[in-house]
Amino acid sequence: MRCRSGIRVHSLDWDLSGGTTSLTVTSDRAQDITLISRRGMASLTSPTRVGPSPLGPHARNIFLPTGQRTRITVSMPTGTSPEARRRP
């Protein structure tokens, strides 16, 4: 799948019970992008530079180098998975 700004998504996986989403991307050029999760993010891990976003706790800025596959894993805050919302 191709995205805006010359980014290719190679894989996208999520673990609803674990509250994580992982993706592998490649960028056609070196760039900083902003990843947003409307339910917030507990953490975002990647081998590249990751920083806060001025948009708030539901977003993070991440650097993508040119032509390098980058694995990104996002952990959601506790209690935001569909299973957690269904529990009494």
Side-chain angles (χ1 to χ4, degrees):
M1 174 175 20
R2 297 289 280 187
C3 301
R4 289 180 166 177
S5 303
I7 298 170
R8 179 178 178 198
V9 177
H10 300 281
S11 67
L12 174 62
D13 306 294
W14 55 92
D15 175 2
L16 293 177
S17 62
T20 61
T21 302
S22 298
L23 64 150
T24 303
V25 298
T26 301
S27 178
D28 290 344
R29 65 179 193 270
Q31 61 182 314
D32 287 300
I33 63 167
T34 301
L35 293 180
I36 300 171
S37 171
R38 293 179 188 202
R39 292 191 170 98
M41 292 184 199
S43 67
L44 186 147
T45 58
S46 174
T48 64
R49 183 178 69 236
V50 175
S53 167
L55 298 176
H58 65 283
R60 300 287 192 284
N61 290 337
I62 182 168
F63 173 74
L64 297 178
T66 305
Q68 177 182 325
R69 281 190 185 215
T70 303
R71 181 79 171 166
I72 303 165
T73 302
V74 179
S75 296
M76 302 303 162
T78 304
T80 60
S81 71
E83 287 81 10
R85 287 193 303 276
R86 281 188 228 128
R87 292 182 193 135

Coordinates of all heavy atoms in Angstrom, one line a residue:
M1 N 0.8 -1.1 0.0 CA 0.0 0.0 0.0 C 0.9 1.2 0.0 O 1.9 1.3 0.7 CB -0.9 0.0 1.3 CG -1.7 1.2 1.4 SD -2.9 1.2 2.8 CE -2.4 0.0 3.9
R2 N 0.5 2.2 -0.8 CA 1.3 3.5 -0.8 C 0.5 4.5 -0.1 O -0.7 4.6 -0.2 CB 1.5 3.9 -2.3 CG 2.4 3.0 -3.1 CD 3.8 3.0 -2.7 NE 4.5 4.1 -3.2 CZ 5.8 4.3 -3.1 NH1 6.5 3.4 -2.5 NH2 6.4 5.4 -3.6
C3 N 1.2 5.4 0.6 CA 0.5 6.5 1.4 C 1.0 7.8 0.9 O 1.9 7.9 0.0 CB 0.9 6.3 2.9 SG 0.4 4.8 3.6
R4 N 0.5 8.8 1.4 CA 1.0 10.2 1.1 C 2.5 10.3 1.4 O 3.0 9.5 2.2 CB 0.3 11.2 1.9 CG -1.2 11.4 1.6 CD -1.7 12.4 2.5 NE -3.0 12.9 2.0 CZ -3.7 13.8 2.6 NH1 -3.3 14.3 3.8 NH2 -4.8 14.2 2.1
S5 N 3.1 11.2 0.8 CA 4.5 11.6 1.1 C 5.5 10.5 0.7 O 6.6 10.4 1.2 CB 4.7 12.0 2.5 OG 3.8 13.0 2.9
G6 N 5.1 9.6 -0.2 CA 6.0 8.6 -0.7 C 6.3 7.5 0.3 O 7.5 7.0 0.4
I7 N 5.4 7.1 1.1 CA 5.6 6.1 2.2 C 4.9 4.8 1.7 O 3.7 4.8 1.2 CB 5.0 6.5 3.5 CG1 5.8 7.8 4.0 CG2 5.1 5.4 4.5 CD1 5.1 8.4 5.2
R8 N 5.6 3.7 1.8 CA 5.0 2.4 1.4 C 4.8 1.6 2.7 O 5.7 1.4 3.5 CB 6.0 1.7 0.5 CG 5.4 0.3 0.1 CD 6.3 -0.4 -0.9 NE 5.8 -1.7 -1.2 CZ 6.5 -2.7 -1.7 NH1 7.7 -2.5 -2.0 NH2 5.9 -3.8 -1.9
V9 N 3.6 1.0 2.9 CA 3.4 0.1 4.0 C 3.6 -1.3 3.6 O 2.9 -1.8 2.6 CB 1.9 0.3 4.5 CG1 1.6 -0.6 5.7 CG2 1.7 1.8 5.0
H10 N 4.5 -2.0 4.2 CA 4.8 -3.4 3.9 C 3.9 -4.3 4.7 O 3.5 -5.4 4.2 CB 6.3 -3.7 4.1 CG 7.2 -2.9 3.3 ND1 7.5 -3.1 2.0 CD2 7.9 -1.8 3.6 CE1 8.3 -2.2 1.5 NE2 8.6 -1.4 2.5
S11 N 3.7 -4.0 6.0 CA 2.9 -4.8 6.8 C 2.2 -4.0 7.9 O 2.7 -2.9 8.2 CB 3.7 -5.9 7.5 OG 4.6 -5.3 8.4
L12 N 1.0 -4.5 8.3 CA 0.2 -3.8 9.3 C -0.5 -4.9 10.1 O -1.2 -5.7 9.6 CB -0.8 -2.9 8.7 CG -1.8 -2.2 9.6 CD1 -1.1 -1.3 10.7 CD2 -2.8 -1.4 8.8
D13 N -0.1 -5.0 11.4 CA -0.7 -6.0 12.3 C -1.2 -5.4 13.5 O -0.6 -4.4 14.0 CB 0.4 -7.1 12.7 CG 1.1 -7.7 11.5 OD1 0.4 -8.4 10.7 OD2 2.3 -7.4 11.3
W14 N -2.2 -6.0 14.1 CA -2.7 -5.5 15.4 C -3.1 -6.6 16.3 O -3.5 -7.7 15.8 CB -3.8 -4.4 15.3 CG -5.0 -4.8 14.6 CD1 -6.1 -5.4 15.0 CD2 -5.2 -4.7 13.2 NE1 -7.0 -5.6 14.0 CE2 -6.4 -5.2 12.9 CE3 -4.4 -4.2 12.1 CZ2 -7.0 -5.2 11.6 CZ3 -4.9 -4.2 10.8 CH2 -6.2 -4.7 10.6
D15 N -2.9 -6.4 17.6 CA -3.2 -7.4 18.6 C -4.2 -6.7 19.5 O -3.8 -5.9 20.4 CB -1.9 -7.8 19.4 CG -2.2 -8.7 20.6 OD1 -3.4 -9.1 20.8 OD2 -1.2 -9.1 21.2
L16 N -5.5 -6.9 19.3 CA -6.5 -6.2 20.1 C -6.4 -6.5 21.6 O -6.6 -5.6 22.4 CB -7.9 -6.6 19.6 CG -8.2 -6.1 18.2 CD1 -9.6 -6.6 17.7 CD2 -8.1 -4.6 18.1
S17 N -6.2 -7.8 21.9 CA -6.1 -8.1 23.3 C -4.9 -7.5 24.0 O -4.9 -7.2 25.2 CB -6.2 -9.6 23.6 OG -5.1 -10.3 22.9
G18 N -3.8 -7.4 23.3 CA -2.6 -6.8 23.8 C -2.5 -5.3 23.7 O -1.7 -4.7 24.2
G19 N -3.4 -4.8 22.9 CA -3.5 -3.3 22.7 C -2.3 -2.7 21.9 O -1.9 -1.6 22.2
T20 N -1.8 -3.5 21.0 CA -0.7 -3.0 20.2 C -1.0 -3.1 18.7 O -1.7 -3.9 18.2 CB 0.6 -3.8 20.4 OG1 0.4 -5.2 20.1 CG2 1.1 -3.7 21.9
T21 N -0.3 -2.2 18.0 CA -0.4 -2.2 16.5 C 1.0 -2.0 16.0 O 1.8 -1.2 16.6 CB -1.2 -1.0 16.0 OG1 -2.5 -1.0 16.5 CG2 -1.3 -1.0 14.5
S22 N 1.4 -2.8 15.0 CA 2.8 -2.8 14.5 C 2.7 -2.6 13.0 O 1.8 -3.2 12.3 CB 3.6 -4.1 14.8 OG 3.7 -4.2 16.2
L23 N 3.6 -1.8 12.4 CA 3.7 -1.7 11.0 C 5.1 -1.5 10.5 O 6.0 -1.1 11.3 CB 2.8 -0.5 10.5 CG 3.2 0.9 10.9 CD1 2.8 1.9 9.9 CD2 2.5 1.3 12.2
T24 N 5.3 -1.9 9.3 CA 6.7 -1.8 8.7 C 6.5 -0.9 7.5 O 5.6 -1.2 6.6 CB 7.3 -3.1 8.3 OG1 7.3 -4.0 9.5 CG2 8.7 -3.0 7.7
V25 N 7.3 0.2 7.4 CA 7.1 1.1 6.3 C 8.5 1.4 5.7 O 9.5 1.3 6.3 CB 6.5 2.4 6.8 CG1 5.1 2.2 7.3 CG2 7.3 3.1 7.8
T26 N 8.5 2.0 4.5 CA 9.7 2.5 3.8 C 9.3 3.8 3.2 O 8.2 4.0 2.6 CB 10.2 1.6 2.7 OG1 10.5 0.3 3.2 CG2 11.4 2.1 2.0
S27 N 10.2 4.8 3.4 CA 9.9 6.2 2.9 C 10.8 6.4 1.7 O 12.0 6.1 1.7 CB 10.2 7.2 3.9 OG 10.0 8.5 3.4
D28 N 10.3 7.1 0.6 CA 11.0 7.4 -0.5 C 12.1 8.5 -0.3 O 13.0 8.7 -1.0 CB 10.1 7.9 -1.7 CG 9.3 6.8 -2.3 OD1 9.6 5.6 -2.1 OD2 8.3 7.1 -3.0
R29 N 11.8 9.3 0.8 CA 12.8 10.3 1.2 C 12.8 10.4 2.7 O 11.9 10.0 3.4 CB 12.3 11.7 0.6 CG 11.0 12.2 1.1 CD 10.6 13.5 0.5 NE 9.6 14.2 1.2 CZ 8.3 14.0 0.9 NH1 7.9 13.2 -0.1 NH2 7.4 14.6 1.5
A30 N 13.9 11.0 3.2 CA 14.0 11.2 4.7 C 13.0 12.3 5.1 O 12.9 13.4 4.5 CB 15.4 11.7 5.0
Q31 N 12.2 12.0 6.1 CA 11.2 12.9 6.5 C 10.7 12.6 7.9 O 10.8 11.5 8.4 CB 10.0 12.9 5.6 CG 9.3 11.5 5.4 CD 8.2 11.5 4.4 OE1 7.4 12.4 4.4 NE2 8.1 10.5 3.6
D32 N 10.1 13.6 8.6 CA 9.4 13.5 9.8 C 8.0 13.4 9.5 O 7.4 14.1 8.7 CB 9.7 14.7 10.8 CG 11.1 14.6 11.3 OD1 11.5 13.7 12.0 OD2 11.8 15.6 11.1
I33 N 7.3 12.4 10.2 CA 5.8 12.3 10.0 C 5.2 12.3 11.4 O 5.9 12.1 12.4 CB 5.5 11.0 9.2 CG1 5.9 9.7 10.0 CG2 6.0 11.0 7.8 CD1 5.3 8.4 9.5
T34 N 3.9 12.4 11.4 CA 3.1 12.4 12.7 C 2.2 11.2 12.6 O 1.4 11.1 11.7 CB 2.4 13.7 12.9 OG1 3.3 14.8 12.9 CG2 1.6 13.7 14.2
L35 N 2.3 10.3 13.6 CA 1.3 9.2 13.7 C 0.3 9.6 14.8 O 0.7 10.1 15.8 CB 2.0 7.9 14.1 CG 3.0 7.3 13.1 CD1 3.6 6.1 13.7 CD2 2.3 7.0 11.8
I36 N -1.0 9.4 14.5 CA -2.1 9.8 15.4 C -2.9 8.6 15.7 O -3.3 7.8 14.8 CB -2.9 10.9 14.7 CG1 -2.1 12.1 14.4 CG2 -4.1 11.2 15.6 CD1 -2.8 13.1 13.5
S37 N -3.2 8.4 17.0 CA -4.2 7.4 17.4 C -5.2 8.2 18.2 O -4.9 8.7 19.3 CB -3.5 6.4 18.3 OG -4.5 5.5 18.9
R38 N -6.4 8.2 17.8 CA -7.5 9.0 18.4 C -7.7 8.5 19.9 O -8.2 9.3 20.7 CB -8.8 8.9 17.6 CG -8.6 9.6 16.3 CD -9.8 9.5 15.5 NE -9.5 10.1 14.1 CZ -10.3 10.6 13.3 NH1 -11.6 10.6 13.6 NH2 -9.9 11.0 12.1
R39 N -7.4 7.3 20.2 CA -7.6 6.8 21.6 C -6.4 7.0 22.4 O -6.3 6.6 23.6 CB -8.0 5.4 21.6 CG -9.4 5.2 21.0 CD -9.8 3.8 21.3 NE -11.2 3.6 20.9 CZ -11.7 3.1 19.8 NH1 -10.8 2.7 18.9 NH2 -13.0 3.0 19.6
G40 N -5.3 7.7 21.9 CA -4.1 7.9 22.6 C -3.1 6.8 22.4 O -3.3 5.8 21.8
M41 N -1.9 7.1 22.9 CA -0.8 6.1 22.8 C -0.1 6.0 24.2 O 0.2 7.1 24.8 CB 0.3 6.6 21.8 CG -0.2 6.7 20.4 SD 1.2 7.2 19.3 CE 0.3 7.6 17.9
A42 N 0.1 4.8 24.6 CA 0.9 4.6 25.8 C 2.4 4.8 25.5 O 3.2 5.3 26.2 CB 0.6 3.3 26.5
S43 N 2.8 4.2 24.3 CA 4.2 4.3 23.8 C 4.2 4.0 22.3 O 3.3 3.5 21.7 CB 5.1 3.3 24.6 OG 4.7 2.0 24.2
L44 N 5.3 4.5 21.7 CA 5.6 4.2 20.3 C 7.1 3.9 20.3 O 7.9 4.6 20.8 CB 5.3 5.4 19.5 CG 5.4 5.2 17.9 CD1 4.4 6.0 17.2 CD2 6.8 5.5 17.5
T45 N 7.4 2.7 19.7 CA 8.8 2.3 19.6 C 9.2 2.1 18.2 O 8.4 1.7 17.4 CB 9.1 1.0 20.4 OG1 8.2 0.0 19.9 CG2 8.8 1.2 21.9
S46 N 10.4 2.5 17.9 CA 11.0 2.4 16.6 C 12.5 2.5 16.7 O 13.0 3.1 17.6 CB 10.4 3.5 15.7 OG 11.0 3.5 14.4
P47 N 13.3 1.9 15.7 CA 14.7 2.1 15.8 C 15.1 3.5 15.4 O 16.3 3.9 15.5 CB 15.2 1.1 14.8 CG 14.1 0.9 13.8 CD 12.9 1.1 14.6
T48 N 14.2 4.4 14.9 CA 14.5 5.7 14.5 C 14.1 6.7 15.6 O 13.6 6.3 16.6 CB 13.8 6.1 13.2 OG1 12.4 6.0 13.4 CG2 14.2 5.1 12.1
R49 N 14.3 8.0 15.3 CA 14.0 9.0 16.3 C 12.5 9.2 16.4 O 11.7 9.3 15.5 CB 14.6 10.4 15.7 CG 14.4 11.5 16.7 CD 15.1 12.8 16.1 NE 14.4 13.3 14.9 CZ 15.0 13.5 13.7 NH1 16.2 13.2 13.6 NH2 14.3 13.9 12.7
V50 N 12.0 9.2 17.7 CA 10.6 9.4 18.0 C 10.5 10.5 19.0 O 11.3 10.6 19.9 CB 10.0 8.1 18.6 CG1 8.6 8.3 19.1 CG2 10.1 6.9 17.6
G51 N 9.5 11.4 18.9 CA 9.4 12.5 19.8 C 7.9 12.8 20.0 O 7.0 12.3 19.3
P52 N 7.7 13.7 20.9 CA 6.3 14.1 21.2 C 5.8 15.0 20.0 O 6.6 15.5 19.2 CB 6.4 15.0 22.5 CG 7.8 15.5 22.5 CD 8.6 14.4 21.8
S53 N 4.5 15.1 19.9 CA 3.9 15.9 18.9 C 3.2 17.1 19.6 O 2.6 17.0 20.6 CB 2.8 15.1 18.1 OG 2.0 16.0 17.3
P54 N 3.2 18.3 18.9 CA 2.4 19.4 19.5 C 0.9 19.1 19.4 O 0.1 19.9 20.1 CB 2.8 20.6 18.6 CG 3.3 20.0 17.3 CD 3.9 18.6 17.7
L55 N 0.5 18.1 18.8 CA -1.0 17.7 18.7 C -1.5 17.1 20.0 O -2.6 17.0 20.3 CB -1.2 16.7 17.6 CG -1.0 17.3 16.2 CD1 -1.2 16.2 15.1 CD2 -1.8 18.5 15.9
G56 N -0.5 16.7 20.9 CA -0.9 16.1 22.2 C -0.6 14.7 22.4 O 0.1 14.1 21.6
P57 N -1.1 14.0 23.4 CA -0.7 12.6 23.8 C -1.2 11.6 22.8 O -0.8 10.4 22.9 CB -1.3 12.5 25.2 CG -2.4 13.4 25.3 CD -2.0 14.6 24.4
H58 N -2.1 11.9 21.9 CA -2.6 11.0 21.0 C -1.8 10.9 19.7 O -2.1 10.2 18.8 CB -4.1 11.3 20.6 CG -4.3 12.6 19.9 ND1 -4.2 13.8 20.6 CD2 -4.5 12.9 18.6 CE1 -4.4 14.8 19.7 NE2 -4.5 14.2 18.5
A59 N -0.7 11.6 19.7 CA 0.2 11.7 18.5 C 1.6 11.7 18.8 O 2.0 12.1 19.9 CB -0.2 12.9 17.7
R60 N 2.5 11.2 17.9 CA 3.9 11.2 18.1 C 4.6 11.5 16.7 O 4.1 11.1 15.7 CB 4.5 9.8 18.5 CG 4.0 9.2 19.8 CD 4.6 10.0 21.0 NE 4.3 9.2 22.2 CZ 3.1 9.2 22.8 NH1 2.1 9.8 22.4 NH2 3.0 8.5 24.0
N61 N 5.7 12.2 16.8 CA 6.5 12.5 15.6 C 7.5 11.4 15.5 O 8.1 11.0 16.5 CB 7.1 13.9 15.7 CG 6.1 15.0 15.5 OD1 5.0 14.8 15.0 ND2 6.5 16.2 16.0
I62 N 7.8 11.0 14.3 CA 8.7 9.9 14.0 C 9.5 10.2 12.7 O 8.9 10.7 11.8 CB 8.1 8.5 14.0 CG1 9.1 7.4 13.8 CG2 7.0 8.5 12.9 CD1 8.6 6.0 14.0
F63 N 10.8 10.0 12.8 CA 11.7 10.2 11.6 C 11.7 8.9 10.8 O 11.9 7.8 11.3 CB 13.1 10.6 12.0 CG 14.0 10.7 10.9 CD1 14.0 11.7 10.0 CD2 15.0 9.7 10.7 CE1 14.9 11.8 8.9 CE2 15.9 9.8 9.6 CZ 15.8 10.8 8.8
L64 N 11.5 9.1 9.5 CA 11.7 7.9 8.5 C 12.9 8.2 7.6 O 12.9 9.2 6.9 CB 10.4 7.7 7.7 CG 9.2 7.4 8.5 CD1 8.0 7.2 7.5 CD2 9.4 6.1 9.2
P65 N 13.9 7.4 7.6 CA 15.1 7.6 6.7 C 14.7 7.1 5.3 O 13.7 6.4 5.1 CB 16.1 6.7 7.3 CG 15.4 5.6 8.1 CD 14.1 6.2 8.5
T66 N 15.5 7.6 4.4 CA 15.3 7.2 2.9 C 15.5 5.7 2.7 O 16.6 5.2 3.0 CB 16.2 8.0 2.0 OG1 16.0 9.4 2.3 CG2 16.0 7.8 0.6
G67 N 14.5 5.1 2.1 CA 14.7 3.7 1.6 C 15.0 2.6 2.6 O 15.4 1.5 2.2
Q68 N 14.8 2.9 3.9 CA 15.1 1.9 4.9 C 13.7 1.4 5.5 O 12.9 2.2 5.9 CB 15.9 2.5 6.0 CG 16.2 1.6 7.2 CD 17.0 2.3 8.2 OE1 17.9 3.1 7.9 NE2 16.8 2.0 9.5
R69 N 13.6 0.0 5.6 CA 12.4 -0.5 6.2 C 12.4 -0.2 7.7 O 13.4 -0.4 8.4 CB 12.3 -2.0 6.0 CG 11.8 -2.4 4.7 CD 11.4 -3.9 4.6 NE 11.0 -4.2 3.2 CZ 10.1 -5.0 2.9 NH1 9.5 -5.7 3.9 NH2 9.8 -5.3 1.7
T70 N 11.4 0.4 8.2 CA 11.3 0.8 9.6 C 10.1 0.2 10.3 O 9.0 0.3 9.8 CB 11.1 2.4 9.7 OG1 12.2 3.0 9.0 CG2 11.1 2.9 11.1
R71 N 10.3 -0.5 11.4 CA 9.3 -1.2 12.1 C 8.9 -0.3 13.2 O 9.7 0.2 14.0 CB 9.8 -2.5 12.7 CG 8.8 -3.3 13.5 CD 7.9 -4.1 12.6 NE 7.1 -5.0 13.3 CZ 6.0 -5.6 12.8 NH1 5.7 -5.4 11.6 NH2 5.3 -6.4 13.5
I72 N 7.6 0.0 13.3 CA 7.0 0.9 14.3 C 5.9 0.1 15.1 O 5.1 -0.6 14.5 CB 6.3 2.1 13.6 CG1 7.3 2.8 12.8 CG2 5.7 3.0 14.7 CD1 6.7 3.8 11.8
T73 N 6.0 0.2 16.4 CA 5.0 -0.5 17.3 C 4.4 0.5 18.2 O 5.1 1.3 18.9 CB 5.6 -1.6 18.1 OG1 6.2 -2.6 17.2 CG2 4.6 -2.3 19.0
V74 N 3.1 0.6 18.2 CA 2.3 1.5 19.0 C 1.5 0.7 20.1 O 0.8 -0.3 19.7 CB 1.3 2.3 18.2 CG1 0.5 3.3 19.0 CG2 2.0 3.1 17.0
S75 N 1.7 1.1 21.3 CA 0.9 0.5 22.4 C -0.1 1.5 22.9 O 0.1 2.7 23.1 CB 1.8 0.2 23.6 OG 2.8 -0.8 23.3
M76 N -1.4 1.0 23.0 CA -2.5 1.8 23.3 C -2.6 1.9 24.9 O -2.1 1.0 25.6 CB -3.8 1.3 22.8 CG -3.8 1.2 21.3 SD -3.4 2.8 20.5 CE -3.0 2.2 18.9
P77 N -3.2 3.0 25.4 CA -3.4 3.0 26.9 C -4.2 1.9 27.4 O -5.1 1.4 26.6 CB -4.1 4.4 27.1 CG -3.8 5.2 25.8 CD -3.7 4.1 24.7
T78 N -4.0 1.4 28.6 CA -4.7 0.3 29.2 C -6.2 0.7 29.2 O -6.6 1.8 29.5 CB -4.3 0.1 30.6 OG1 -2.9 -0.1 30.6 CG2 -5.0 -1.1 31.2
G79 N -7.0 -0.4 28.8 CA -8.5 -0.2 28.8 C -9.1 0.4 27.6 O -10.3 0.7 27.6
T80 N -8.3 0.6 26.5 CA -8.9 1.1 25.3 C -9.1 0.1 24.2 O -9.7 0.5 23.2 CB -8.0 2.3 24.7 OG1 -6.7 1.7 24.4 CG2 -7.8 3.4 25.7
S81 N -8.8 -1.2 24.4 CA -9.0 -2.2 23.4 C -10.5 -2.5 23.4 O -11.2 -2.3 24.4 CB -8.2 -3.4 23.7 OG -8.8 -4.1 24.8
P82 N -11.1 -2.9 22.3 CA -12.5 -3.3 22.3 C -12.9 -4.3 23.4 O -14.0 -4.2 24.0 CB -12.8 -3.9 20.9 CG -11.7 -3.3 20.0 CD -10.5 -3.1 21.0
E83 N -12.0 -5.2 23.6 CA -12.3 -6.2 24.7 C -12.4 -5.6 26.0 O -13.3 -5.9 26.9 CB -11.3 -7.3 24.7 CG -11.3 -8.3 23.6 CD -10.7 -7.7 22.3 OE1 -10.0 -6.7 22.4 OE2 -10.9 -8.3 21.2
A84 N -11.5 -4.6 26.3 CA -11.5 -3.9 27.6 C -12.7 -3.1 27.8 O -13.3 -3.0 28.9 CB -10.2 -3.1 27.7
R85 N -13.2 -2.5 26.7 CA -14.4 -1.6 26.8 C -15.7 -2.5 27.0 O -16.6 -2.0 27.6 CB -14.6 -0.8 25.5 CG -13.5 0.3 25.5 CD -13.9 1.3 24.4 NE -14.0 0.7 23.1 CZ -13.0 0.5 22.2 NH1 -11.8 0.8 22.6 NH2 -13.2 0.0 21.1
R86 N -15.7 -3.7 26.6 CA -16.8 -4.6 26.8 C -16.9 -5.2 28.2 O -18.0 -5.7 28.6 CB -16.8 -5.7 25.7 CG -17.3 -5.3 24.4 CD -17.4 -6.5 23.5 NE -16.7 -6.1 22.2 CZ -15.8 -6.8 21.6 NH1 -15.4 -7.9 22.1 NH2 -15.3 -6.4 20.5
R87 N -15.8 -5.2 28.9 CA -15.8 -5.8 30.2 C -16.7 -5.0 31.2 O -16.6 -3.8 31.2 CB -14.4 -6.0 30.8 CG -13.6 -7.0 30.0 CD -12.2 -7.1 30.6 NE -11.4 -7.8 29.6 CZ -10.1 -7.5 29.3 NH1 -9.6 -6.4 29.9 NH2 -9.5 -8.2 28.4
P88 N -17.4 -5.7 32.1 CA -18.2 -4.9 33.1 C -17.3 -4.3 34.1 O -16.3 -4.6 34.4 CB -19.2 -6.0 33.7 CG -18.6 -7.3 33.3 CD -17.7 -7.1 32.1

